[in-house]
Amino acid sequence: MHDVTAPGHVDIRIHETRVLADPAGLLAVPDAGILVVSDLHFEKGSAWAAGGQLMPPYDTRATLKRLAAGIARHTPSTVIALGDSFHDLRAAGRMHADDTAALAALVASVPRWIWIEGNHDPAPPPQFGGEVHETVELAGLVFRHEPSEGEARGEIAGHLHPAAKIRRNGRALRRRCFATDGSRLIMPAFGAFTGGLNVCDAAFARCFGRVPDALVMGREKVWPVAGARCVGDG
């Protein structure tokens, strides 16, 4: 695995394990060759369209393109997809044939691919290959979809789609982020049509006991922001 320490990535420790926060919304564990992604939500656009909300039907392709670029950049030996990779249990059947082939090829390109079960996809479709687990423990870290409430050292989770809002010089900026207190980390959602829940929301306080620090995703750089600087959406 390439140790991508170029400007833009943030190098931190979660519990006792070194990780890199990538501005694309990926988390690398370079010493273990692991790359983590969360909440891909493939085919969210087609699910919305079926419900009468007209959205461009290209979210899966855009998400796959970004994910493939991240894998090429980090060259991991293990990819962990932290749940809600598919927006619902029928998502694979709505995928365009080209996207189906691209995803299968991407999974096959990595020595080990792990699908973590999510609340949207408790049974990830088997045709793409890879392993399916509820939780996985690797490199001194515990990987699961929904974060635990209260103390959970070394936990890497998704589900909450963290976003941070910051006010500066009379202007407000709201971006997806990694949420962390140094002991655990909640991943940003990676999917093209996924939104974000403000880190000031009570859901994060139940996990961290306070507003967590945010590693805010810029276009080419991750910006560390203390939780005390984050503001709510109200």
Side-chain angles (χ1 to χ4, degrees):
M1 182 180 198
H2 294 157
D3 190 347
V4 184
T5 53
H9 294 70
V10 169
D11 188 328
I12 62 171
R13 285 192 176 272
I14 298 299
H15 193 31
E16 298 177 348
T17 302
R18 176 175 172 247
V19 300
L20 296 174
D22 184 309
L26 300 162
L27 189 77
V29 188
D31 294 339
I34 297 170
L35 190 65
V36 189
V37 64
S38 188
D39 294 273
L40 295 160
H41 281 273
F42 291 135
E43 294 302 309
K44 184 171 185 176
S46 61
W48 282 0
Q53 301 181 60
L54 298 181
M55 298 293 292
Y58 307 118
D59 58 309
T60 295
R61 190 159 302 177
T63 299
L64 277 170
K65 183 177 180 179
R66 291 171 49 238
L67 180 56
I71 290 172
R73 186 164 62 252
H74 290 274
T75 62
S77 56
T78 300
V79 168
I80 302 176
L82 279 185
D84 287 2
S85 300
F86 300 85
H87 188 64
D88 56 59
L89 295 178
R90 295 180 296 277
R94 298 194 305 272
M95 290 177 71
H96 190 281
D98 291 346
D99 299 332
T100 298
L103 178 56
L106 195 60
V107 172
S109 74
V110 179
R112 187 181 188 193
W113 189 290
I114 299 172
W115 303 105
I116 298 295
E117 299 170 353
N119 58 296
H120 280 255
D121 58 352
Q127 63 262 41
F128 297 105
E131 309 167 24
V132 178
H133 299 278
E134 181 179 359
T135 61
V136 167
E137 296 187 28
L138 291 172
L141 299 169
V142 179
F143 300 91
R144 57 169 48 95
H145 178 59
E146 295 193 30
S148 306
E149 293 191 3
E151 185 177 356
R153 293 179 182 177
E155 181 180 84
I156 308 294
H159 183 60
L160 292 181
H161 300 202
K165 185 176 181 180
I166 306 146
R167 293 192 185 277
R168 185 177 181 183
N169 299 326
R171 300 179 62 184
L173 174 70
R174 193 182 194 279
R175 293 282 180 85
R176 299 184 198 188
C177 69
F178 303 81
T180 186
D181 59 0
S183 180
R184 69 198 299 184
L185 181 143
I186 298 178
M187 294 281 296
F190 194 84
F193 285 171
T194 51
L197 179 66
N198 194 303
V199 293
C200 294
D201 189 272
F204 291 96
R206 287 193 289 270
C207 298
F208 295 98
R210 62 173 177 86
V211 176
D213 299 328
L215 305 178
V216 180
M217 294 161 52
R219 186 162 298 182
E220 298 179 351
K221 184 175 181 178
V222 174
W223 301 86
V225 176
R229 291 187 53 206
C230 297
V231 298
D233 290 327

mmCIF file of all heavy atoms in Angstrom, residues 159-187:
data_model
loop_
_atom_site.group_PDB
_atom_site.id
_atom_site.type_symbol
_atom_site.label_atom_id
_atom_site.label_comp_id
_atom_site.label_asym_id
_atom_site.label_seq_id
_atom_site.Cartn_x
_atom_site.Cartn_y
_atom_site.Cartn_z
ATOM 1 N N HIS A 159 -22.587 5.343 9.027
ATOM 2 C CA HIS A 159 -24.014 5.471 9.322
ATOM 3 C C HIS A 159 -24.499 6.903 9.546
ATOM 4 O O HIS A 159 -25.547 7.278 9.031
ATOM 5 C CB HIS A 159 -24.373 4.608 10.534
ATOM 6 C CG HIS A 159 -25.829 4.611 10.882
ATOM 7 N ND1 HIS A 159 -26.803 4.175 10.006
ATOM 8 C CD2 HIS A 159 -26.479 4.996 12.019
ATOM 9 C CE1 HIS A 159 -27.984 4.295 10.583
ATOM 10 N NE2 HIS A 159 -27.826 4.795 11.795
ATOM 11 N N LEU A 160 -23.759 7.726 10.294
ATOM 12 C CA LEU A 160 -24.283 9.041 10.679
ATOM 13 C C LEU A 160 -24.001 10.145 9.653
ATOM 14 O O LEU A 160 -24.536 11.242 9.790
ATOM 15 C CB LEU A 160 -23.716 9.453 12.046
ATOM 16 C CG LEU A 160 -24.195 8.636 13.246
ATOM 17 C CD1 LEU A 160 -23.570 9.173 14.532
ATOM 18 C CD2 LEU A 160 -25.717 8.649 13.359
ATOM 19 N N HIS A 161 -23.169 9.883 8.662
ATOM 20 C CA HIS A 161 -22.894 10.864 7.603
ATOM 21 C C HIS A 161 -22.451 12.225 8.179
ATOM 22 O O HIS A 161 -23.091 13.252 7.940
ATOM 23 C CB HIS A 161 -24.122 11.099 6.718
ATOM 24 C CG HIS A 161 -24.643 9.892 6.016
ATOM 25 N ND1 HIS A 161 -25.414 9.966 4.876
ATOM 26 C CD2 HIS A 161 -24.523 8.562 6.275
ATOM 27 C CE1 HIS A 161 -25.753 8.760 4.463
ATOM 28 N NE2 HIS A 161 -25.216 7.888 5.303
ATOM 29 N N PRO A 162 -21.391 12.294 8.966
ATOM 30 C CA PRO A 162 -21.044 13.552 9.631
ATOM 31 C C PRO A 162 -20.710 14.688 8.680
ATOM 32 O O PRO A 162 -20.098 14.494 7.623
ATOM 33 C CB PRO A 162 -19.825 13.176 10.484
ATOM 34 C CG PRO A 162 -19.276 11.940 9.856
ATOM 35 C CD PRO A 162 -20.455 11.209 9.300
ATOM 36 N N ALA A 163 -21.124 15.889 9.085
ATOM 37 C CA ALA A 163 -20.790 17.123 8.376
ATOM 38 C C ALA A 163 -20.539 18.196 9.433
ATOM 39 O O ALA A 163 -21.129 18.166 10.512
ATOM 40 C CB ALA A 163 -21.916 17.547 7.445
ATOM 41 N N ALA A 164 -19.660 19.134 9.121
ATOM 42 C CA ALA A 164 -19.327 20.205 10.054
ATOM 43 C C ALA A 164 -19.681 21.550 9.436
ATOM 44 O O ALA A 164 -19.482 21.770 8.235
ATOM 45 C CB ALA A 164 -17.840 20.170 10.403
ATOM 46 N N LYS A 165 -20.182 22.437 10.267
ATOM 47 C CA LYS A 165 -20.472 23.802 9.851
ATOM 48 C C LYS A 165 -19.602 24.751 10.672
ATOM 49 O O LYS A 165 -19.548 24.655 11.902
ATOM 50 C CB LYS A 165 -21.952 24.132 10.054
ATOM 51 C CG LYS A 165 -22.364 25.499 9.536
ATOM 52 C CD LYS A 165 -23.876 25.695 9.684
ATOM 53 C CE LYS A 165 -24.310 27.052 9.140
ATOM 54 N NZ LYS A 165 -25.779 27.238 9.282
ATOM 55 N N ILE A 166 -18.935 25.649 9.980
ATOM 56 C CA ILE A 166 -18.004 26.569 10.623
ATOM 57 C C ILE A 166 -18.317 27.975 10.150
ATOM 58 O O ILE A 166 -18.556 28.205 8.949
ATOM 59 C CB ILE A 166 -16.544 26.211 10.251
ATOM 60 C CG1 ILE A 166 -16.250 24.743 10.574
ATOM 61 C CG2 ILE A 166 -15.557 27.123 10.963
ATOM 62 C CD1 ILE A 166 -15.301 24.113 9.614
ATOM 63 N N ARG A 167 -18.320 28.914 11.085
ATOM 64 C CA ARG A 167 -18.497 30.327 10.740
ATOM 65 C C ARG A 167 -17.159 31.045 10.881
ATOM 66 O O ARG A 167 -16.449 30.886 11.874
ATOM 67 C CB ARG A 167 -19.527 30.981 11.654
ATOM 68 C CG ARG A 167 -20.943 30.455 11.458
ATOM 69 C CD ARG A 167 -21.961 31.325 12.172
ATOM 70 N NE ARG A 167 -23.288 30.763 12.096
ATOM 71 C CZ ARG A 167 -24.109 30.914 11.056
ATOM 72 N NH1 ARG A 167 -23.708 31.619 10.008
ATOM 73 N NH2 ARG A 167 -25.307 30.375 11.064
ATOM 74 N N ARG A 168 -16.849 31.858 9.874
ATOM 75 C CA ARG A 168 -15.596 32.611 9.910
ATOM 76 C C ARG A 168 -15.753 33.871 9.078
ATOM 77 O O ARG A 168 -16.224 33.827 7.947
ATOM 78 C CB ARG A 168 -14.448 31.769 9.353
ATOM 79 C CG ARG A 168 -13.081 32.436 9.453
ATOM 80 C CD ARG A 168 -11.997 31.525 8.960
ATOM 81 N NE ARG A 168 -10.691 32.159 9.078
ATOM 82 C CZ ARG A 168 -9.547 31.624 8.666
ATOM 83 N NH1 ARG A 168 -9.563 30.407 8.135
ATOM 84 N NH2 ARG A 168 -8.413 32.268 8.804
ATOM 85 N N ASN A 169 -15.381 34.982 9.689
ATOM 86 C CA ASN A 169 -15.454 36.277 9.000
ATOM 87 C C ASN A 169 -16.840 36.546 8.423
ATOM 88 O O ASN A 169 -16.979 37.047 7.303
ATOM 89 C CB ASN A 169 -14.403 36.353 7.883
ATOM 90 C CG ASN A 169 -12.983 36.210 8.417
ATOM 91 O OD1 ASN A 169 -12.683 36.661 9.520
ATOM 92 N ND2 ASN A 169 -12.114 35.574 7.632
ATOM 93 N N GLY A 170 -17.875 36.174 9.202
ATOM 94 C CA GLY A 170 -19.240 36.445 8.792
ATOM 95 C C GLY A 170 -19.793 35.480 7.773
ATOM 96 O O GLY A 170 -20.930 35.648 7.319
ATOM 97 N N ARG A 171 -19.019 34.464 7.395
ATOM 98 C CA ARG A 171 -19.484 33.486 6.405
ATOM 99 C C ARG A 171 -19.554 32.109 7.037
ATOM 100 O O ARG A 171 -18.837 31.810 7.997
ATOM 101 C CB ARG A 171 -18.540 33.455 5.203
ATOM 102 C CG ARG A 171 -18.427 34.787 4.483
ATOM 103 C CD ARG A 171 -17.458 34.693 3.315
ATOM 104 N NE ARG A 171 -17.909 33.733 2.326
ATOM 105 C CZ ARG A 171 -17.186 33.403 1.238
ATOM 106 N NH1 ARG A 171 -15.989 33.936 1.050
ATOM 107 N NH2 ARG A 171 -17.665 32.537 0.364
ATOM 108 N N ALA A 172 -20.433 31.269 6.504
ATOM 109 C CA ALA A 172 -20.595 29.901 7.008
ATOM 110 C C ALA A 172 -20.193 28.908 5.924
ATOM 111 O O ALA A 172 -20.501 29.088 4.742
ATOM 112 C CB ALA A 172 -22.034 29.654 7.439
ATOM 113 N N LEU A 173 -19.497 27.873 6.336
ATOM 114 C CA LEU A 173 -19.087 26.800 5.430
ATOM 115 C C LEU A 173 -19.555 25.486 6.035
ATOM 116 O O LEU A 173 -19.339 25.224 7.225
ATOM 117 C CB LEU A 173 -17.561 26.790 5.282
ATOM 118 C CG LEU A 173 -16.964 25.640 4.472
ATOM 119 C CD1 LEU A 173 -17.304 25.806 2.994
ATOM 120 C CD2 LEU A 173 -15.453 25.581 4.664
ATOM 121 N N ARG A 174 -20.204 24.650 5.213
ATOM 122 C CA ARG A 174 -20.684 23.337 5.691
ATOM 123 C C ARG A 174 -20.160 22.259 4.750
ATOM 124 O O ARG A 174 -20.419 22.305 3.543
ATOM 125 C CB ARG A 174 -22.211 23.310 5.733
ATOM 126 C CG ARG A 174 -22.800 22.124 6.512
ATOM 127 C CD ARG A 174 -24.323 22.161 6.452
ATOM 128 N NE ARG A 174 -24.962 21.294 7.402
ATOM 129 C CZ ARG A 174 -25.148 19.978 7.237
ATOM 130 N NH1 ARG A 174 -24.724 19.396 6.116
ATOM 131 N NH2 ARG A 174 -25.768 19.269 8.170
ATOM 132 N N ARG A 175 -19.419 21.306 5.293
ATOM 133 C CA ARG A 175 -18.809 20.257 4.481
ATOM 134 C C ARG A 175 -18.881 18.910 5.191
ATOM 135 O O ARG A 175 -18.935 18.850 6.417
ATOM 136 C CB ARG A 175 -17.329 20.578 4.211
ATOM 137 C CG ARG A 175 -17.084 21.790 3.318
ATOM 138 C CD ARG A 175 -17.318 21.457 1.866
ATOM 139 N NE ARG A 175 -17.096 22.602 0.999
ATOM 140 C CZ ARG A 175 -15.923 22.988 0.514
ATOM 141 N NH1 ARG A 175 -14.831 22.316 0.843
ATOM 142 N NH2 ARG A 175 -15.835 24.019 -0.284
ATOM 143 N N ARG A 176 -18.813 17.858 4.418
ATOM 144 C CA ARG A 176 -18.683 16.525 4.997
ATOM 145 C C ARG A 176 -17.370 16.445 5.774
ATOM 146 O O ARG A 176 -16.407 17.150 5.467
ATOM 147 C CB ARG A 176 -18.693 15.456 3.914
ATOM 148 C CG ARG A 176 -19.962 15.415 3.082
ATOM 149 C CD ARG A 176 -19.904 14.251 2.105
ATOM 150 N NE ARG A 176 -20.870 14.416 1.025
ATOM 151 C CZ ARG A 176 -21.143 13.482 0.125
ATOM 152 N NH1 ARG A 176 -20.508 12.326 0.181
ATOM 153 N NH2 ARG A 176 -22.026 13.695 -0.815
ATOM 154 N N CYS A 177 -17.324 15.552 6.746
ATOM 155 C CA CYS A 177 -16.120 15.458 7.565
ATOM 156 C C CYS A 177 -16.000 14.071 8.188
ATOM 157 O O CYS A 177 -16.957 13.293 8.220
ATOM 158 C CB CYS A 177 -16.127 16.528 8.655
ATOM 159 S SG CYS A 177 -17.374 16.258 9.949
ATOM 160 N N PHE A 178 -14.817 13.778 8.683
ATOM 161 C CA PHE A 178 -14.587 12.682 9.604
ATOM 162 C C PHE A 178 -14.821 13.248 11.002
ATOM 163 O O PHE A 178 -14.380 14.358 11.309
ATOM 164 C CB PHE A 178 -13.146 12.184 9.513
ATOM 165 C CG PHE A 178 -12.699 11.735 8.150
ATOM 166 C CD1 PHE A 178 -12.299 12.665 7.190
ATOM 167 C CD2 PHE A 178 -12.646 10.386 7.832
ATOM 168 C CE1 PHE A 178 -11.866 12.261 5.933
ATOM 169 C CE2 PHE A 178 -12.212 9.970 6.573
ATOM 170 C CZ PHE A 178 -11.820 10.908 5.624
ATOM 171 N N ALA A 179 -15.487 12.514 11.863
ATOM 172 C CA ALA A 179 -15.739 12.957 13.231
ATOM 173 C C ALA A 179 -14.922 12.075 14.177
ATOM 174 O O ALA A 179 -14.983 10.837 14.081
ATOM 175 C CB ALA A 179 -17.221 12.852 13.573
ATOM 176 N N THR A 180 -14.148 12.684 15.085
ATOM 177 C CA THR A 180 -13.274 11.888 15.928
ATOM 178 C C THR A 180 -12.946 12.596 17.231
ATOM 179 O O THR A 180 -13.039 13.826 17.326
ATOM 180 C CB THR A 180 -11.967 11.549 15.178
ATOM 181 O OG1 THR A 180 -11.175 10.660 15.972
ATOM 182 C CG2 THR A 180 -11.169 12.801 14.858
ATOM 183 N N ASP A 181 -12.548 11.801 18.210
ATOM 184 C CA ASP A 181 -12.004 12.337 19.456
ATOM 185 C C ASP A 181 -10.628 11.737 19.728
ATOM 186 O O ASP A 181 -10.090 11.869 20.825
ATOM 187 C CB ASP A 181 -12.943 12.075 20.638
ATOM 188 C CG ASP A 181 -13.205 10.589 20.866
ATOM 189 O OD1 ASP A 181 -12.659 9.748 20.111
ATOM 190 O OD2 ASP A 181 -13.949 10.253 21.803
ATOM 191 N N GLY A 182 -10.056 11.074 18.714
ATOM 192 C CA GLY A 182 -8.764 10.427 18.867
ATOM 193 C C GLY A 182 -8.855 8.998 19.357
ATOM 194 O O GLY A 182 -7.920 8.216 19.174
ATOM 195 N N SER A 183 -9.986 8.638 19.948
ATOM 196 C CA SER A 183 -10.190 7.279 20.431
ATOM 197 C C SER A 183 -10.995 6.453 19.434
ATOM 198 O O SER A 183 -10.786 5.251 19.293
ATOM 199 C CB SER A 183 -10.909 7.296 21.778
ATOM 200 O OG SER A 183 -11.111 5.985 22.269
ATOM 201 N N ARG A 184 -11.900 7.105 18.732
ATOM 202 C CA ARG A 184 -12.743 6.459 17.730
ATOM 203 C C ARG A 184 -12.965 7.436 16.589
ATOM 204 O O ARG A 184 -12.672 8.630 16.700
ATOM 205 C CB ARG A 184 -14.076 6.047 18.350
ATOM 206 C CG ARG A 184 -14.918 7.275 18.696
ATOM 207 C CD ARG A 184 -16.012 6.998 19.663
ATOM 208 N NE ARG A 184 -16.957 6.016 19.158
ATOM 209 C CZ ARG A 184 -18.066 5.659 19.817
ATOM 210 N NH1 ARG A 184 -18.355 6.213 20.988
ATOM 211 N NH2 ARG A 184 -18.886 4.774 19.335
ATOM 212 N N LEU A 185 -13.553 6.960 15.489
ATOM 213 C CA LEU A 185 -13.773 7.822 14.320
ATOM 214 C C LEU A 185 -15.035 7.380 13.600
ATOM 215 O O LEU A 185 -15.289 6.172 13.458
ATOM 216 C CB LEU A 185 -12.566 7.772 13.388
ATOM 217 C CG LEU A 185 -12.616 8.633 12.123
ATOM 218 C CD1 LEU A 185 -11.217 9.216 11.819
ATOM 219 C CD2 LEU A 185 -13.105 7.830 10.919
ATOM 220 N N ILE A 186 -15.819 8.359 13.154
ATOM 221 C CA ILE A 186 -16.993 8.088 12.318
ATOM 222 C C ILE A 186 -16.714 8.662 10.934
ATOM 223 O O ILE A 186 -16.350 9.835 10.784
ATOM 224 C CB ILE A 186 -18.264 8.702 12.927
ATOM 225 C CG1 ILE A 186 -18.537 8.058 14.299
ATOM 226 C CG2 ILE A 186 -19.466 8.473 12.004
ATOM 227 C CD1 ILE A 186 -19.750 8.627 15.016
ATOM 228 N N MET A 187 -16.890 7.817 9.930
ATOM 229 C CA MET A 187 -16.538 8.146 8.551
ATOM 230 C C MET A 187 -17.585 9.043 7.892
ATOM 231 O O MET A 187 -18.786 8.932 8.162
ATOM 232 C CB MET A 187 -16.445 6.860 7.724
ATOM 233 C CG MET A 187 -15.328 5.924 8.117
ATOM 234 S SD MET A 187 -13.735 6.462 7.471
ATOM 235 C CE MET A 187 -14.021 6.320 5.692
#
